[in-house]
Amino acid sequence: MKGMATVEQAIEEKRLFMIDYHDLLLPYVNKVRELPGTTLYGSRTVFFLTDEGALMPIAIELTRPKSPTKPQWKRVFTHTYDATGSWLWRLAKIHVAAHDAGYHQLVVHWLRTHCCTEPYIIATNRRLSVMHPIYRLLRPHFRYTMEINALAREALINAGGIIETSFSPGKYSMELSSVAYDKLWRFDQQALPADLISRGMAVEDPTVDHGLRLTIEDYPFAADGLLVWSALKQWVEDYVTHCYTDADAIKSDGELQAWWGEIRTKGHADKKDEPWWPKLETPADLVGILTTIIWVTSGHHAAVNFGQYHYGGYFPNRPTLARNNMPNILPSR
């Protein structure tokens, strides 16, 4: 690790990072392996942040849980210079790339920016009149989302559709997405600053721009995203301040309160009692809620959707499906 004396030192200096798909994928490994022409592992990948500011993968753990006929199989792969170790390392990276591609589409893209935004759109159309200032603010950011989601249900995420036939979880893809919603989704962490902090990619620092110091400087999603986030927040703040002068104006707006109540208690009913839902009592509360919704439907969606083909269109860059297990060089895989 480039001269680091211990792992503890690397962690303290924020030089180690992990992509952890172990807990989410592991319950599906044996079920997915029963499907023809595909396989799956639980995975953890450890990266080291080099002096040049690049993340270098240094270890990959692949796990298959115990099954009725086999004991648990788990192995850590690292980069080596012998022929066998080098190819095992490359194959392990392919499996992780397939996990990452599936998680990206099923959780980061579909779940966060399409599925979880439907309650915002439905409540906006049900509870806010077309003349309401918040309806007029949100409507452009919701354009086409429901239509796209309907088309996705017909040909993309439907049973036997493109997602189920192209990604490693197979017919369990939507189930896995639902489990991720149950275990991982929180409205308060959809805001970009909260998202970055929760993932260890930033820490609060009032002395720097946007009040956040990035853990990795060369991180375009965060660096560029914070510029977009700040612009959105300023625009929303100016708009809300113009429409609502004080807390009483927020509390007395029946349409607005019904809108936020439906989002929480109807649209996300299974999470309606969670303590992390923001209250809607002041103009500042409304600014935070609206900025989060607009960010997810615009900036966040643009980041995870529109640039995909330029990199993932070349399949070796972004394999979505692993068909074969790791070579059986060591005990049962």
Side-chain angles (χ1 to χ4, degrees), residues 137-154:
L137 174 68
L138 290 175
R139 185 174 180 274
H141 303 284
F142 295 159
R143 193 178 186 188
Y144 301 133
T145 298
M146 295 297 286
E147 180 182 3
I148 291 170
N149 288 4
L151 292 172
R153 289 186 172 95
E154 290 181 1

Side-chain angles (χ1 to χ4, degrees), residues 160-182:
I162 294 172
I163 292 294
E164 288 194 0
T165 57
S166 302
F167 287 84
S168 287
K171 69 177 183 180
Y172 302 104
S173 293
M174 286 300 100
E175 179 183 333
L176 188 143
S177 182
S178 298
V179 169
Y181 169 76
D182 178 55

Side-chain angles (χ1 to χ4, degrees), residues 119-120 123 181 187 257-274 276-280 289:
Y120 314 151
Y181 169 76
F187 180 86
Q257 294 297 330
W259 167 79
W260 184 233
E262 179 164 318
I263 288 174
R264 292 182 294 108
T265 64
K266 302 294 185 182
H268 291 283
D270 45 352
K271 292 180 179 283
K272 63 183 177 64
D273 297 321
E274 296 289 349
W276 39 253
W277 283 107
K279 295 181 179 180
L280 181 52
I289 291 167

Side-chain angles (χ1 to χ4, degrees), residues 7-301:
V7 170
E8 288 74 17
Q9 179 189 356
I11 294 174
E12 183 177 348
E13 296 186 15
K14 299 186 183 300
R15 301 290 289 272
L16 288 182
F17 295 82
M18 179 186 292
I19 296 179
D20 189 349
Y21 296 138
H22 180 275
D23 292 351
L24 182 63
L25 295 181
L26 203 66
Y28 291 91
V29 169
N30 288 328
K31 292 191 290 186
V32 168
R33 283 169 168 244
E34 295 176 357
L35 305 176
T38 188
T39 191
L40 189 65
Y41 295 92
S43 69
R44 295 185 178 102
T45 306
V46 178
F47 295 81
F48 179 76
L49 182 63
T50 67
D51 293 336
E52 293 75 28
L55 285 175
M56 179 177 67
I58 59 174
I60 295 171
E61 179 192 74
L62 297 179
T63 304
R64 176 186 54 74
K66 179 181 178 181
S67 72
T69 59
K70 296 179 180 179
Q72 182 192 58
W73 181 91
K74 178 186 294 188
R75 186 178 172 192
V76 175
F77 299 88
T78 58
H79 178 67
T80 63
Y81 292 97
D82 65 280
T84 300
S86 179
W87 276 106
L88 288 174
W89 173 243
R90 294 183 186 185
L91 292 172
K93 288 197 292 183
I94 291 172
H95 280 278
V96 171
H99 302 167
D100 193 61
Y103 185 88
H104 175 86
Q105 294 295 3
L106 299 174
V107 179
V108 178
H109 184 197
W110 161 253
L111 177 64
R112 291 183 185 172
T113 70
H114 285 269
C115 185
C116 288
T117 63
E118 285 196 8
Y120 314 151
I121 301 169
I122 294 171
T124 298
N125 284 281
R126 279 169 47 85
R127 296 297 183 176
L128 301 179
S129 69
V130 295
M131 297 300 293
H132 195 283
I134 302 307
Y135 177 93
R136 297 171 68 86
L137 174 68
L138 290 175
R139 185 174 180 274
H141 303 284
F142 295 159
R143 193 178 186 188
Y144 301 133
T145 298
M146 295 297 286
E147 180 182 3
I148 291 170
N149 288 4
L151 292 172
R153 289 186 172 95
E154 290 181 1
L156 191 63
I157 64 171
N158 59 307
I162 294 172
I163 292 294
E164 288 194 0
T165 57
S166 302
F167 287 84
S168 287
K171 69 177 183 180
Y172 302 104
S173 293
M174 286 300 100
E175 179 183 333
L176 188 143
S177 182
S178 298
V179 169
Y181 169 76
D182 178 55
K183 294 182 178 295
L184 304 175
W185 190 87
R186 294 175 47 155
F187 180 86
D188 62 327
Q189 290 185 356
Q190 303 307 297
L192 179 60
D195 170 46
L196 296 173
I197 291 171
S198 69
R199 293 190 289 114
M201 303 307 293
V203 294
E204 293 186 85
D205 185 345
T207 67
V208 299
D209 292 341
H210 316 294
L212 291 181
R213 178 167 51 84
L214 297 181
T215 310
I216 301 175
E217 292 185 11
D218 186 14
Y219 185 14
F221 172 76
D224 297 345
L226 285 170
L227 295 173
V228 176
W229 168 268
S230 297
L232 287 173
K233 185 177 182 181
Q234 185 61 60
W235 158 241
V236 172
E237 187 173 338
D238 292 345
Y239 189 94
V240 168
T241 301
H242 178 76
C243 298
Y244 297 92
T245 56
D246 52 33
D248 289 338
I250 296 289
K251 294 176 182 177
S252 62
D253 189 330
E255 288 188 34
L256 189 67
Q257 294 297 330
W259 167 79
W260 184 233
E262 179 164 318
I263 288 174
R264 292 182 294 108
T265 64
K266 302 294 185 182
H268 291 283
D270 45 352
K271 292 180 179 283
K272 63 183 177 64
D273 297 321
E274 296 289 349
W276 39 253
W277 283 107
K279 295 181 179 180
L280 181 52
E281 298 177 346
T282 67
D285 294 339
L286 182 58
V287 169
I289 291 167
L290 293 175
T291 306
T292 298
I293 291 174
I294 292 173
W295 160 253
V296 171
T297 58
S298 58
H300 182 88
H301 178 266

